[in-house]
Amino acid sequence: MSEEVIKILDALAEKFGFAIDWTSANVLPYLQQLCGKYVTYEIATSVVWILIGICLLFVGKYAIGKTKYCWGKYKEDWHSDYDFGAIWLGILAGCVIVGGIIVILCQTFDIVTCITFPEKIIIEELQSVYSSLK
């Protein structure tokens, strides 16, 4: 296990008021199992967020269809208020699609990081927990 991870874990344990006996035979296997579970959890939550991002893309596609419908109605009757609906639906569609793409990209990179360099995810989480305890 990395010395940096051990230092962070020792600092966290000190904040909570207990000490970790690193010479114990069951500490390292348990921490390795815990880290593996956390990486699996991170991958699972990223997959859920990717599914939410895909749903956002479908909502954006639906909003584009409604935008076209409103714009067509506005072209038929210039005195209607369909132009406002078309404008707002177009803005909504653009924001939802951009949001969905950003979510998908960020979570894809998160999954790649979890698969190729899981220690980075664990160290970042430990650092965020440690900084929140200060």
Side-chain angles (χ1 to χ4, degrees):
M1 183 176 290
S2 170
E3 284 296 319
E4 183 176 338
V5 173
I6 291 173
K7 286 179 185 177
I8 293 173
L9 287 173
D10 281 337
L12 283 172
E14 184 181 311
K15 288 283 186 182
F16 287 118
F18 60 90
I20 299 174
D21 181 17
W22 295 104
T23 61
S24 176
N26 60 356
V27 171
L28 286 177
Y30 176 71
L31 283 176
Q32 289 171 342
Q33 181 185 16
L34 187 63
C35 291
K37 284 183 178 183
Y38 181 75
V39 170
T40 303
Y41 167 78
E42 193 68 34
I43 290 172
T45 57
S46 294
V47 168
V48 170
W49 276 107
I50 286 174
L51 292 175
I52 291 171
I54 291 170
C55 289
L56 286 174
L57 293 179
F58 283 116
V59 168
K61 185 178 184 297
Y62 177 77
I64 287 173
K66 287 297 182 182
T67 301
K68 289 179 181 178
Y69 171 79
C70 287
W71 191 251
K73 285 292 212 173
Y74 174 68
K75 281 186 164 184
E76 290 175 9
D77 182 15
W78 290 88
H79 300 292
S80 67
D81 288 334
Y82 280 103
D83 58 338
F84 293 114
I87 291 169
W88 287 111
L89 281 171
I91 292 170
L92 173 71
C95 291
V96 167
I97 289 173
V98 168
I101 290 171
I102 289 171
V103 166
I104 290 170
L105 287 175
C106 289
Q107 297 307 315
T108 301
F109 286 119
D110 197 22
I111 289 174
V112 169
T113 303
C114 284
I115 292 172
T116 58
F117 192 45
E119 295 86 4
K120 178 181 176 189
I121 297 293
I122 294 166
I123 289 172
E124 287 174 354
E125 182 65 23
L126 288 173
Q127 286 174 339
S128 70
V129 169
Y130 181 69
S131 66
S132 69
L133 292 175
K134 287 185 175 179

